[in-house]
Amino acid sequence: MSKNKKMSLSGGDTTEKFIYKPKDLIWAKMKGFTPWPGMIVEPPLDLLTQQRRANTKCVFFFGSRNFAWIEENNIKPFEGPWKEELAKVSKPAAFRHAMADIDKYIDDPAEVDDQINESCGVPNHATEADFDKIRDAVDSDENAVDADADANNGVVVHVVGSPDVSEAVEGENNADSSASPTVTAATPATAKSPAKRTPKAKPVSAVSATKAAKASTTKSAQKRRISAHQTPTGANTSGLPNAKRGKRVVSGGATPGNFDGASSSSPTARRRVEVDDLLASLAAKRAPNAIALLDRPVVTRPETQAIDMNSRSNTLADRDIVPSELTFGFLGLGMMGSTIVKDLIYTGHKVVVWNRTIDKCQPFVEAGAEVKDTPMDVVEAADIIFCCVSDPKGAKDLVFGNCGVLQLKDLRNKAYVEMSTVDPDTSLDIGEGIKQCNGRYLEAQIHGSRQEAADGMLIILAGGDRTVFEECHSCFKTIAKNTFFLGNVGNACKVNLILQTIQAVSLVGLAEALALADRFSISLNDIIDIFDLTSMKSPLLLAKGKEMAKGDFNPQQPLSHMQRDLRLVLNMAENLDQSMPVTSITNEVFKHTKRLGYSEHDSSAVFVRSRF
């Protein structure tokens, strides 16, 4: 490991950044786990197909002996002043097993190295390396052609196509060379001679017929070849049918009238045709997805907007908010979570935070928040814990996963508030788990965009424990303009997903209408101005329409999140045998837009799919 310039890591300490190489022993911090002993390795086959962020390394974890992509800011060298703290024996049994495993590797690395090498091999799917192999095959073929030219004193034998075709053409040319004294093709010295076989005796009549047939075939083939290559001086023969079919072209010792390669076709032109044919042949022999990487849409990803801790909402500043004396934990500092935490800190709430990417915590630490290493640590330090992550699976992992909320067996005097957009079944499962550990549970679904969160104009839909709802009053007053308590757990999730369905269907209708106006060459701004005067207008559709007209898809509500909500809605409808054909089509439109590369853009990017 070579050292680079100094930078600030988690906790505010100034350390040295390392450039990691394969076989480096490290500590790796994975989502939901404590720092774990591991090693930098080349990725195995199953990881090559996974999407990953920039600046990540493939890590082999000792103990469990599995692989994962880990961001470099969550990696530290194994040896260092932090080793004693990270290697405490009070950790779980699985961690102690991992420590014993890495000690065993240090003494004898053979077993682990064999396992890693066995996991890595030639992939059976299309990768960038596959494309390089195609190019390398072309280069090696050209080198072989040049070597044959040198070995044969200028007589170049080009064979393009399958082995069967090549053998047939070779037999044809051998017959021609015996009949035509002006064309000679020397066999390379390295070619293997065919196995000698004793021919069976043939009747005299059969021998005579065979010779006559060969003579006839030789003369007709020679005439076809001569007529195909006789062109005026300076004409380019690279486009001739025989060249495209992969016929053998002999040059160098030919007579000027028939096979003069200098006068009929340049070597560069012939080679270009042969390279194209070889690429087509190799692509046909490979799996259909081998060159799919050439057809992938190229879309510029939206830049990640850093949280501005100095900006203040005028709406929030005008509110008379008395912060609660309780300590609030917050799990997840994504687009919505970071904005909510900033407002809570600004209004004087005491906040403890955790995020999978530890770098995102630094601005909040500087603003007065406290950061913890795991969700379990946040639960220990806070009275009420909020969670705001991207999907139901992530929400359940934070509760039931390793180092999750329920690793603290007694949640007496603790409350858990689920703010992630989840389905009712997921919310019920989380609530049941919290209650079994003597904790209290509240689902608080947030409806609104990132800008509405920054302005404190969200809608809060809550359900579950009423006492938790009342204890969170100062927090809800900070981030929302209206708050509703809807009774039992699950009700808030249902209402939120119903509202998301209305919004998604409206967006697709707006996108298709504006796409039609664009085809008519009608100004989209004029359509939006007229729409603003009608009874159909709404702040949401007006804002999204302006974004579509400008082509500005800076994410306020990511398209992938909207499609996730539609999927959850359709799953609920399926359980009730409720037909939702329009919602189903809307979901397909969002899925197609994601496939075009707009997953991380704003939901208004469905206009791109409707337009093109």
Side-chain angles (χ1 to χ4, degrees):
M1 290 177 285
S2 57
K3 297 178 180 177
N4 200 352
K5 64 181 182 179
K6 291 186 176 182
M7 65 173 292
S8 177
L9 295 177
S10 61
D13 297 333
T14 302
T15 61
E16 290 176 324
K17 180 181 178 181
F18 291 85
I19 299 175
Y20 300 98
K21 299 178 296 184
K23 302 296 184 182
D24 285 345
L25 299 180
I26 49 93
W27 293 97
K29 178 70 173 67
M30 192 175 180
K31 176 183 177 182
F33 292 84
T34 58
W36 207 266
M39 178 170 60
I40 302 294
V41 296
E42 295 294 337
L45 296 182
D46 55 348
L47 255 67
L48 291 175
T49 57
Q50 295 183 7
Q51 294 184 353
R52 59 189 181 98
R53 297 175 179 269
N55 301 322
T56 57
K57 294 291 184 182
C58 180
V59 173
F60 171 83
F61 289 100
F62 287 97
S64 60
R65 296 201 173 183
N66 51 15
F67 303 81
W69 294 110
I70 303 295
E71 296 180 3
E72 291 187 11
N73 52 27
N74 289 329
I75 297 176
K76 283 187 178 181
F78 185 70
E79 298 294 341
W82 46 80
K83 179 179 178 181
E84 181 179 355
E85 176 67 21
L86 296 178
K88 285 182 178 179
V89 295
S90 60
K91 298 289 180 68
F95 179 82
R96 295 196 296 271
H97 174 65
M99 291 300 299
D101 197 18
I102 192 172
D103 291 338
K104 179 181 177 182
Y105 172 79
I106 294 174
D107 296 335
D108 182 13
E111 179 188 356
V112 173
D113 287 344
D114 291 342
Q115 179 180 347
I116 294 174
N117 293 334
E118 185 178 349
S119 300
C120 301
V122 179
N124 57 1
H125 49 270
T127 63
E128 298 291 346
D130 291 334
F131 182 72
D132 294 337
K133 289 179 183 177
I134 297 177
R135 290 297 184 193
D136 293 342
V138 176
D139 296 338
S140 62
D141 183 76
E142 292 179 353
N143 295 335
V145 168
D146 296 337
D148 288 342
D150 295 338
N152 297 330
N153 297 323
V155 180
V156 184
V157 182
H158 297 277
V159 180
V160 179
S162 64
D164 296 337
V165 176
S166 302
E167 291 173 4
V169 177
E170 184 176 356
E172 184 181 7
N173 282 342
N174 288 339
D176 293 340
S177 62
S178 63
S180 176
T182 60
V183 180
T184 59
T187 302
T190 58
K192 295 183 179 179
S193 60
K196 295 183 179 180
R197 297 180 180 178
T198 303
K200 296 181 179 180
K202 295 182 180 180
V204 176
S205 59
V207 173
S208 302
T210 301
K211 289 182 178 180
K214 285 185 177 181
S216 175
T217 303
T218 300
K219 290 179 181 179
S220 60
Q222 182 179 4
K223 289 179 181 179
R224 287 197 303 271
R225 184 178 298 102
I226 292 174
S227 62
H229 287 279
Q230 280 181 338
T231 57
T233 303
N236 185 359
T237 63
S238 62
L240 290 175
N242 286 345
K244 286 188 176 180
R245 292 192 191 103
K247 294 280 188 180
R248 180 176 299 181
V249 181
V250 181
S251 62
T255 57
N258 296 334
F259 303 110
D260 189 357
S263 62
S264 62
S265 175
S266 66
T268 303
R270 287 200 309 275
R271 182 166 295 179
R272 184 179 298 110
V273 173
E274 292 152 7
V275 167
D276 293 341
D277 289 343
L278 180 58
L279 280 172
S281 175
L282 291 174
K285 295 177 183 178
R286 296 175 61 85
N289 65 344
I291 57 173
L293 57 97
L294 301 179
D295 303 324
R296 294 173 186 169
V298 178
V299 178
T300 303
R301 297 177 61 181
E303 296 183 0
T304 303
Q305 296 183 355
I307 188 72
D308 184 5
M309 300 300 295
N310 296 322
S311 64
R312 294 291 182 269
S313 167
N314 293 331
T315 304
L316 188 60
D318 294 339
R319 291 179 183 169
D320 183 17
I321 299 174
V322 179
S324 172
E325 296 181 357
L326 299 174
T327 299
F328 296 92
F330 210 96
L331 306 178
L333 297 175
M335 180 180 296
M336 298 294 287
S338 59
T339 306
I340 292 173
V341 171
K342 185 192 78 170
D343 291 343
L344 292 178
I345 295 174
Y346 170 67
T347 52
H349 292 84
K350 184 178 179 181
V351 182
V352 180
V353 299
W354 171 88
N355 190 65
R356 182 179 59 84
T357 305
I358 200 67
D359 284 355
K360 288 188 177 181
C361 299
Q362 191 59 34
F364 302 99
V365 173
E366 296 172 356
E370 183 180 356
V371 63
K372 295 295 182 180
D373 292 333
T374 66
M376 182 176 64
D377 297 333
V378 174
V379 174
E380 290 180 336
D383 300 307
I384 298 178
I385 301 92
F386 292 95
C387 174
C388 186
V389 293
S390 60
D391 56 26
K393 182 180 181 302
K396 294 186 76 169
D397 287 345
L398 286 183
V399 176
F400 300 102
N402 194 12
C403 297
V405 173
L406 296 186
Q407 293 300 310
L408 194 65
K409 300 303 181 183
D410 188 5
L411 296 179
R412 198 179 309 275
N413 299 323
K414 306 282 185 181
Y416 190 79
V417 181
E418 184 60 77
M419 304 186 80
S420 311
T421 301
V422 296
D423 56 284
D425 290 340
T426 298
S427 183
L428 288 169
D429 291 342
I430 294 174
E432 186 65 25
I434 297 295
K435 292 176 183 177
Q436 287 180 358
C437 293
N438 302 317
R440 297 174 298 158
Y441 177 71
L442 179 75
E443 60 180 19
Q445 301 289 280
I446 51 179
H447 185 81
S449 65
R450 179 178 184 175
Q451 186 58 48
E452 288 172 327
D455 294 337
M457 299 297 287
L458 295 172
I459 302 291
I460 298 292
L461 307 171
D465 194 311
R466 182 76 188 223
T467 61
V468 181
F469 177 77
E470 293 172 353
E471 290 175 1
C472 296
H473 174 73
S474 64
C475 297
F476 293 158
K477 188 176 180 180
T478 299
I479 63 177
K481 63 179 179 179
N482 294 104
T483 306
F484 299 92
F485 183 80
L486 302 177
N488 296 330
V489 173
N491 291 344
C493 295
K494 296 172 186 176
V495 173
N496 184 49
L497 290 175
I498 291 171
L499 294 176
Q500 291 295 90
T501 303
I502 298 173
Q503 180 176 340
V505 172
S506 301
L507 279 179
V508 171
L510 176 65
E512 292 187 352
L514 292 182
L516 179 62
D518 185 66
R519 291 295 299 273
F520 281 130
S521 299
I522 300 175
S523 170
L524 300 186
N525 291 323
D526 291 345
I527 294 291
I528 294 170
D529 290 341
I530 297 172
F531 177 74
D532 189 20
L533 301 175
T534 68
S535 59
M536 300 180 294
K537 69 176 180 178
S538 72
L540 172 70
L541 294 182
L542 286 173
K544 297 301 181 183
K546 292 177 181 178
E547 292 174 3
M548 295 176 187
K550 294 188 298 183
D552 178 16
F553 307 127
N554 184 43
Q556 293 293 326
Q557 186 174 30
L559 186 140
S560 59
H561 291 187
M562 182 69 74
Q563 194 273 322
R564 169 209 63 199
D565 297 343
L566 289 171
R567 185 180 69 250
L568 297 178
V569 167
L570 292 174
N571 288 339
M572 288 196 311
E574 180 69 20
N575 294 333
L576 298 172
D577 291 332
Q578 174 66 39
S579 175
M580 301 187 72
V582 176
T583 305
S584 299
I585 295 173
T586 301
N587 183 49
E588 293 302 318
V589 172
F590 275 90
K591 283 166 61 177
H592 189 195
T593 311
K594 282 176 61 178
R595 178 64 184 87
L596 294 177
Y598 290 89
S599 177
E600 298 182 18
H601 293 69
D602 189 74
S603 54
S604 57
V606 291
F607 175 68
V608 177
R609 187 266 178 197
S610 300
R611 185 180 183 186
F612 299 106

